[in-house]
């Protein structure tokens, strides 16, 4: 295992305590819309009769659901969120961070867990209703068509496809036999890249008629009818010189 | 910015910031409560991704071209996979577990596995307090549960399954790992070593597992193990393990020995042979064990009777998976007569492994019985002759210890009866006898009546006559009249009437039969002797 990263333990050494806060999705979405400075709201920590109360209040400008600036019509994200605090319950939780450069550092230990709950009011209910509506929409939808689909017939051969094919064939024309030497060069360079080739692939590469190509291959290569590389052509041993990782090949022309 | 509240409910306000441009991704490292991990004790730590799954997922092409590669192979493979609907999950480095090593080589190791579904419905944020009093919230990217990795040796999956199957029977769990270690040692040891000490183990275990509790699930063994574990229960953990090691080794051997006779004991319904002297293990056991020769090893003695002896011989033979080892063992243990050995060899050859044919069994049975009879009497006789009365006194209470003495006396007796026939001491068939007795459910009922009682050495080496003499003539008469089994014969010569001890009766009868060499017939699965004159 390479790159064993040394963990930066400074956070833990300083016993930095952090809070692990569970935040609802919509709230985190709003936070993403925050400005660069990153201020999203305020936390109020108060002590009321021996109980610590923590409350988070969202900044006003962030409470609009829609784009920033649009406030009317869209339900507002609730602003006040009391935190419910729990202790870590015996579980040791630490926070480690991984930077872009793959540096790992231990940021601190979790001392408190909290859940951010919204204050339940009508506004919140409306918001939730919207959410539920969205989530219950099925991903796939069946739609009824008004008119029957007439574009799909039952052709003997696909007309469009056929037309295309014929055009292609006509444009390319019959594959012309090139010079033997040229073809050999093409073949050898192809076999430099791979050892085994299908005849169809060779035809593709060399653009030669099959019979001509087979003739040449019979001369310089062998056909594997069995084995791992079935029905493939490869060069004869005397013509090939593969090195394990390199692609050197000695070519001997006839 | 903080503002102190002045009311009774003092409230302080802090700003919360969510930094936008963090290059760092925050993750949670969660430990189990029971592990009692304290991060403050860490002096140094290293963490890396566990890439062992990469082999499984990405079969990297060894040759990306040139030799051995085909044109378009990858595409073809992919198309093939799609056709069959094989969906290969990609190997994502992000999802691989972490390996955390704390405090260097000697420290702890943890494996952190990513917990899925954390960020699906709710987002976690880490709130840290900055020096200026404001809070900064960072989103949690992933959650990893870290568990400590065991440094001690553990059983593999197969071994664990085996042990699971024996969980009701194994009481001493320490010996499981001990045996495993011993096994591993054995594999590296010499043949000789194995033959000597663990020959028995192998014999017992077949696969060389050590005679732990392998072959039989007998209460005897469990008792032994529980005893040992009890004794060491009071000790500390470390010393316990050491003690276990020692006791384990000794125990293993003890068990082996014990298992020998315990097998016999199990099968011999009424515990008939509990008091029987054992003379076969004396040589070997003294060499490598405590002097507890114990009834261990030999319930199988000849006093049991010819039938049983022959049966048990057969059984143990069949049980032996390894012919050679059996032979070795026999040689080691007893140094008994070669005829018996040869006999056994022949039987082995003819009968093969466990499924030997009945015929060969029976063929060899009586012969071996006779041989065995011959064998042990010499031992006994000799013992008796030399022992004298001093040993006899100790006899009654502890039949085990005085096996030697009885054997000596019997040997003396036998030597008087038979002179030229004795050859070198062959392998001890007693333990094989014991095993055979257990393993092979023999149709022939074990033990004629007279064998159950322990034999106080009477010092008599020759049969004395009262009403009925146990002579060749008498036996001949019986056998001519009608075919009889050895049991029947023995019934005829009851100890009360002949004045002989049952052991002596058996021995003498065996000799007589040998001399007579009667014909054998199998009636109702019992070997009957008869003479035709």
């Amino acid at each position: 295992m390479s790159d064993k990263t040394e963990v930066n333990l400074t956070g833990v050494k300083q016993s930095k305590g952090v809070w692990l806060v569970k935040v609802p999705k919509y709230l985190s979405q709003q936070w993403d819309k925050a400005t660069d400075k990153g201020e999203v709201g305020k936390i109020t920590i108060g002590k009321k009769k021996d109980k610590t109360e923590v409350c988070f209040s969202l900044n006003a400008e962030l409470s609009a659901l829609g784009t920033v600036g649009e406030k009317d019509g869209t339900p507002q994200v609730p602003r006040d969120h009391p935190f419910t605090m729990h202790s870590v319950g015996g579980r040791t939780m630490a926070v480690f961070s991984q930077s872009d450069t793959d540096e790992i550092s231990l940021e601190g230990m979790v001392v408190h867990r909290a859940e951010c709950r919204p204050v339940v009011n009508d506004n919140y209910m409306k918001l939730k209703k919207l959410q539920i509506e969205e989530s219950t929409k099925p991903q796939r939808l069946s739609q009824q068509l008004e008119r029957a689909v007439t574009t799909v017939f039952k052709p003997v051969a696909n007309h469009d496809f056929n037309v295309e094919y014929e055009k292609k064939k006509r444009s390319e024309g019959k594959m012309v036999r090139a010079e033997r030497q040229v073809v050999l060069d093409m073949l050898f360079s192809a076999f430099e890249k791979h050892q085994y080739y299908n005849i169809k692939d060779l035809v593709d590469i060399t653009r030669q008629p099959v019979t001509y190509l087979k003739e040449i291959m019979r001369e310089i290569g062998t056909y594997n009818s069995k084995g791992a590389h079935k029905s493939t052509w490869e060069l004869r041993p005397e013509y090939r010189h593969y090195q394990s990782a390199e692609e050197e090949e000695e070519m001997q022309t006839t | 910015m903080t503002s102190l509240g002045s009311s009774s409910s003092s409230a302080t306000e802090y700003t919360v910031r969510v930094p936008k441009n963090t290059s760092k991704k925050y993750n949670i490292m969660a430990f189990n409560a029971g592990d009692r991990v304290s991060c403050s004790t860490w002096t140094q730590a290293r963490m890396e991704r566990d890439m062992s799954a990469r082999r499984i997922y990405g079969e990297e092409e060894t040759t990306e071209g040139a030799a051995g590669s085909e044109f378009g192979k990858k595409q073809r493979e992919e198309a093939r996979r799609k056709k069959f609907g094989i969906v290969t999950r990609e190997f994502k480095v992000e999802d691989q577990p972490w390996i955390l090593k704390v405090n260097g080589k000697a420290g702890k190791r943890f494996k952190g596995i990513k917990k899925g579904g954390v960020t699906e419905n709710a987002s976690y944020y880490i709130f840290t307090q900055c020096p200026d009093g404001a809070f900064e919230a960072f989103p949690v990217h992933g959650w990893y549960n870290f568990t400590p990795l065991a440094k001690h040796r553990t059983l593999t999956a197969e071994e664990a399954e085996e042990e699971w199957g024996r969980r009701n029977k194994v009481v001493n769990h320490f010996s499981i790992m001990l045996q495993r270690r011993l096994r591993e040692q054995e594999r590296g040891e010499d043949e000789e070593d194995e033959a000597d000490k663990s020959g028995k183990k192998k014999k017992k275990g077949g696969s060389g597992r050590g005679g732990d509790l392998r072959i039989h699930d007998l209460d005897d063994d469990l008792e032994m193990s529980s005893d040992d574990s009890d004794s060491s229960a009071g000790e500390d953990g470390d010393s316990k393990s050491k003690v276990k090691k020692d006791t384990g080794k000794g125990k293993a051997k003890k068990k082996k020995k014990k298992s020998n006779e315990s097998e016999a004991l199990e099968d011999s319904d009424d515990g008939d042979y509990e008091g029987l002297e054992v003379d076969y293990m004396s040589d070997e056991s003294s060499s490598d064990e405590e002097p507890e020769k114990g009834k261990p090893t030999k319930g199988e003695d000849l006093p049991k009777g010819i039938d049983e002896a022959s049966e048990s011989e057969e059984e143990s033979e069949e049980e032996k998976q390894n012919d050679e080892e059996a032979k070795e063992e026999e040689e080691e243990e007893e140094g008994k007569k070669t005829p018996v050995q040869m006999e056994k060899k022949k039987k082995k050859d003819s009968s093969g492994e466990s499924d030997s044919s009945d015929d060969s069994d029976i063929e060899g049975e009586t012969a071996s019985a006779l041989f065995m009879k011959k064998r042990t009497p010499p031992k006994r006789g000799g013992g008796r002759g030399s022992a004298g009365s001093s040993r006899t006194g100790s006899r009654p209470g502890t039949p085990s210890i005085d096996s030697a003495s009885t054997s000596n006396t019997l040997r003396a007796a036998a030597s008087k009866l038979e002179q030229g026939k004795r050859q070198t001491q062959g392998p001890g068939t007693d333990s094989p006898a014991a095993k055979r007795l257990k393993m092979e459910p023999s149709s022939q009922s074990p033990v004629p009546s007279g064998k159950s009682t322990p034999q106080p050495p009477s010092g008599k080496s020759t049969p004395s006559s009262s009403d009925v003499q146990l002579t060749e003539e008498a036996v001949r008469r019986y056998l001519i009249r009608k075919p009889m089994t050895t049991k029947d014969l023995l019934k005829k010569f009851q100890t009360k009437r002949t004045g002989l001890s049952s052991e002596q009766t058996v021995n003498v009868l065996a000799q007589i039969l040998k001399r007579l060499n009667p014909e054998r017939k199998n009636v109702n699965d019992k070997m009957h002797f008869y003479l035709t004159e």
Side-chain angles (χ1 to χ4, degrees):
Chain A
M1 308 269 183
S2 54
D3 66 342
K4 223 189 271 188
T5 345
E6 182 82 32
V7 177
N8 184 348
L9 291 171
T10 46
V12 154
K13 294 289 183 208
Q14 296 165 8
S15 303
K16 268 216 291 204
V18 297
W19 289 2
L20 179 68
V21 182
K22 194 172 184 179
V23 169
K25 263 283 186 238
Y26 64 86
L27 195 59
S28 61
Q29 278 168 6
Q30 298 301 106
W31 286 2
D32 287 341
K33 293 192 207 153
T35 58
D36 262 347
K37 219 174 74 168
E39 246 195 57
V40 291
K42 289 194 189 42
I43 271 195
T44 336
I45 301 180
K47 247 191 136 114
K48 277 206 182 104
K49 305 166 224 167
D50 281 346
K51 272 207 316 193
T52 329
E53 274 187 17
V54 184
C55 181
F56 169 77
S57 57
L58 188 63
N59 275 351
E61 58 264 22
L62 285 176
S63 70
L65 243 194
T67 50
V68 183
E70 201 184 293
K71 262 201 198 166
D72 31 320
T74 54
Q76 304 248 330
V77 168
R79 295 194 58 198
D80 293 320
H81 296 83
F83 279 14
T84 37
M85 308 286 288
H86 316 281
S87 71
V88 288
R91 259 206 122 171
T92 336
M93 284 188 282
V95 181
F96 72 97
S97 67
Q98 193 180 8
S99 68
D100 289 338
T101 55
D102 278 339
E103 265 180 38
I104 302 174
S105 64
L106 215 52
E107 297 292 328
M109 307 285 298
V110 174
V111 288
H112 278 116
R113 287 187 75 158
E115 282 169 21
C116 187
R117 292 176 186 287
V119 173
V120 182
N121 50 21
D122 285 340
N123 198 25
Y124 180 66
M125 288 311 183
K126 276 189 226 151
L127 178 71
K128 274 298 168 188
K129 204 162 40 157
L130 270 183
Q131 270 186 2
I132 291 171
E133 277 174 9
E134 263 187 54
S135 61
T136 49
K137 273 193 212 144
Q139 279 170 334
R140 288 157 195 210
L141 184 65
S142 19
Q143 241 180 356
Q144 186 182 30
L145 298 173
E146 294 128 8
R147 299 174 59 212
V149 176
T150 52
T151 49
V152 185
F153 295 102
K154 286 191 201 168
V156 169
N158 188 337
H159 207 233
D160 291 341
F161 171 74
N162 216 11
V163 161
E164 272 175 40
Y165 185 64
E166 281 172 13
K167 237 193 278 181
K168 196 175 70 142
K169 275 292 163 110
R170 229 171 291 135
S171 66
E172 281 176 14
K174 290 217 190 229
M175 296 183 275
V176 185
R177 290 191 183 196
E179 285 294 309
R180 198 185 193 84
Q181 200 49 45
V182 176
V183 177
L184 280 172
D185 286 341
M186 276 198 281
L187 284 174
F188 282 130
S189 57
F191 276 104
E192 266 179 38
K193 298 198 205 90
H194 297 274
Q195 189 178 353
Y196 301 98
Y197 276 90
N198 223 335
I199 191 67
K200 288 202 190 131
D201 299 326
L202 285 173
V203 167
D204 246 350
I205 294 173
T206 57
R207 319 278 337 124
Q208 300 293 298
V210 181
T211 39
Y212 183 48
L213 195 57
K214 270 200 196 163
E215 212 184 293
I216 299 179
M217 280 312 298
R218 240 175 264 135
E219 203 183 305
I220 59 163
T222 54
Y223 182 73
N224 291 316
S225 52
K226 291 180 239 199
H229 311 274
K230 232 192 310 181
S231 57
T232 54
W233 284 89
E234 63 171 339
L235 282 183
R236 294 223 182 122
E238 57 264 24
Y239 288 106
R240 61 178 140 116
H241 180 214
Y242 290 117
Q243 269 144 26
S244 50
E246 277 127 34
E247 301 178 356
E248 296 292 314
E249 191 196 340
E250 306 243 341
M251 305 192 301
Q252 290 177 23
T253 54
T254 46
Chain B
M1 36 175 238
T2 53
S3 51
L4 288 169
S6 50
S7 53
S8 55
S9 58
S10 52
T12 41
E13 259 191 20
Y14 304 92
T15 333
V16 177
R17 281 200 300 266
V18 178
K20 286 262 168 180
N21 50 356
T22 44
S23 53
K24 292 207 246 184
K25 291 202 185 115
Y26 283 75
N27 304 284
I28 299 276
M29 180 193 287
F31 297 92
N32 258 338
D35 298 336
R36 293 189 214 291
V37 173
S38 168
C39 291
S40 42
T41 61
W42 294 358
T43 47
Q44 61 128 324
R46 279 186 210 279
M47 199 148 95
E48 63 195 355
R49 291 275 185 191
D50 176 12
M51 299 292 214
S52 54
R54 196 197 277 272
R55 295 182 260 111
I56 306 168
Y57 271 115
E59 296 290 344
E60 299 288 333
E61 297 277 330
T62 45
T63 45
E64 287 278 341
S69 75
E70 264 184 52
F71 179 80
K73 187 158 176 91
K74 265 195 185 156
Q75 290 93 322
R76 222 179 308 149
E77 281 297 320
E78 221 181 287
R80 207 171 133 267
R81 281 220 192 88
K82 277 205 188 134
K83 179 171 94 173
F84 290 125
I86 303 169
V87 178
T88 38
R89 267 175 282 157
E90 271 188 38
F91 176 85
K92 281 185 243 163
V93 185
E94 277 288 298
D95 295 344
Q96 297 310 304
W98 287 102
I99 295 210
L100 169 68
K101 296 178 192 164
V102 178
N103 293 342
K105 208 89 202 328
K108 292 193 181 160
R109 295 177 109 224
F110 294 90
K111 183 164 180 170
I113 300 170
K114 189 165 189 176
K115 180 166 143 180
V118 168
T119 49
E120 271 171 15
N121 297 319
S123 355
Y124 281 95
Y125 279 81
I126 297 283
F127 276 50
T128 53
Q129 194 159 30
C130 299
D132 68 345
F135 277 90
E136 280 199 335
F138 303 97
V140 166
H141 200 75
W143 185 300
Y144 293 87
N145 288 322
F146 278 78
T147 50
L149 289 178
K151 280 190 165 177
H152 51 268
R153 279 140 64 107
T154 51
L155 300 175
T156 66
E158 294 90 20
E159 290 171 352
E161 283 207 34
E162 284 185 44
E163 295 298 332
W164 174 254
R166 292 168 39 207
R167 69 193 185 282
N168 288 327
K169 298 155 192 160
V170 173
V171 178
N172 177 26
H173 293 279
F174 288 110
S175 64
I176 294 172
M177 291 308 284
L178 169 67
Q179 286 308 318
R180 185 162 174 253
R181 218 172 299 137
L182 288 175
R183 228 180 298 134
E184 289 173 11
Q185 279 175 20
E186 278 172 28
R187 282 191 206 123
E189 274 180 8
D190 275 346
E191 292 289 316
E192 283 180 335
D193 251 355
E194 290 189 359
D196 260 338
K197 299 221 158 171
S198 33
K200 273 211 208 134
K201 275 191 205 169
K202 270 201 189 168
K203 175 181 44 146
K204 280 276 142 181
S207 57
R209 272 187 153 253
D212 189 16
L213 297 157
R214 207 96 281 271
I215 298 263
H216 40 261
D217 310 316
L218 296 175
D219 290 17
D220 285 346
D221 282 330
L222 293 182
E223 278 162 13
M224 276 197 81
S225 56
S226 59
D227 284 343
D228 278 352
S229 49
D230 284 346
S231 65
S232 51
E235 293 166 310
D236 283 347
D238 286 348
S239 53
K240 204 191 230 176
S241 51
K242 284 200 194 123
V243 167
K244 276 289 162 236
K245 256 195 213 166
D246 301 337
T247 54
K249 262 207 166 111
K251 197 187 350 147
K253 296 212 178 108
K254 250 194 270 177
K255 272 197 210 137
K256 267 176 274 159
K257 304 266 169 135
K258 197 167 186 191
S259 59
N260 278 338
E261 94 272 6
S262 49
E263 294 179 86
L265 286 175
E266 274 301 306
D267 248 2
S268 70
D269 312 304
D270 318 317
D272 281 346
Y273 315 113
E274 283 186 55
L276 289 180
E277 56 271 20
V278 290
D279 62 345
Y280 113 94
M281 287 293 209
S282 45
D283 304 338
E284 198 193 15
S285 53
S286 53
S287 62
D288 52 7
E289 261 196 21
E290 302 107 27
E292 182 196 326
K293 299 170 197 165
K295 61 192 188 175
T297 67
K298 299 321 184 345
E300 55 280 6
D301 283 0
L302 306 181
K304 266 190 292 198
I306 306 168
D307 289 351
E308 279 144 10
S310 47
E311 289 157 18
S312 45
E313 224 184 36
E314 277 309 312
E315 286 168 354
S316 61
E317 258 195 13
E318 285 166 27
E319 209 203 355
K320 275 180 206 145
Q321 300 164 10
N322 196 340
D323 290 352
E324 283 178 89
E325 280 175 339
K327 235 189 282 173
E328 269 174 4
E329 189 226 6
E330 290 168 351
E331 279 167 350
E332 289 164 15
E333 290 174 8
E334 301 299 335
K336 301 263 182 177
K337 298 185 185 180
T338 43
V340 185
Q341 244 184 333
M342 280 173 351
E343 183 67 29
K344 282 202 181 152
K345 275 185 218 169
K346 275 187 232 151
K347 268 187 278 172
K348 278 180 211 162
D349 294 341
S350 60
S351 57
E353 293 287 75
S354 25
D355 303 322
S356 52
S357 62
D358 274 346
D359 288 339
S360 55
D361 283 355
I362 294 163
E363 274 300 311
E365 239 179 74
T366 38
S368 62
L370 298 176
F371 277 123
M372 263 176 48
K373 275 288 151 208
K374 239 192 327 162
R375 191 177 11 104
T376 40
K379 257 175 70 167
R380 303 262 170 100
R384 194 174 285 168
S386 55
S389 54
S390 56
R391 277 205 226 167
T392 64
S394 55
R395 208 129 208 300
T398 53
S400 52
I401 300 175
D402 279 2
S403 55
S405 65
T406 355
S407 57
N408 289 338
T409 51
L410 287 172
R411 204 176 286 139
S415 61
K416 286 183 194 165
L417 296 169
E418 308 236 4
Q419 262 111 32
K421 293 202 181 177
R422 225 184 330 149
Q423 297 174 20
T424 54
Q425 299 297 316
T429 42
D430 289 352
S431 74
K435 276 188 285 185
R436 273 198 222 119
L437 187 61
K438 170 178 167 74
M439 282 303 140
E440 189 180 43
S442 55
S443 53
Q444 301 183 353
S445 50
V447 191
S449 47
K451 317 300 162 154
S452 46
T453 55
Q455 306 301 314
S458 56
K460 293 190 222 168
S461 27
T462 53
S464 61
S465 63
S466 52
D467 285 342
V468 177
Q469 272 247 22
L470 173 51
T471 58
E472 194 175 326
E473 265 305 311
V475 177
R476 184 189 296 252
R477 248 185 300 124
Y478 287 127
L479 289 182
I480 288 177
R481 209 183 297 153
K482 79 163 198 173
M484 304 183 71
T485 62
T486 48
K487 213 178 173 179
D488 300 339
L489 281 172
L490 284 163
K491 273 199 204 123
K492 296 283 183 188
F493 301 105
Q494 286 179 9
T495 58
K496 294 183 188 146
R497 306 184 77 204
T498 62
L500 294 171
S501 69
S502 55
E503 257 194 46
Q504 288 169 316
T505 318
V506 166
N507 295 332
V508 172
L509 188 59
Q511 285 141 25
I512 293 174
L513 282 174
K514 203 163 172 52
R515 262 179 297 179
L516 287 181
N517 206 11
E519 293 176 29
R520 300 157 197 186
K521 166 167 80 176
N522 210 359
V523 174
N524 298 338
D525 283 336
K526 288 197 191 168
M527 171 64 57
H528 287 66
F529 297 108
Y530 65 97
L531 285 166
T532 54
E533 285 193 53

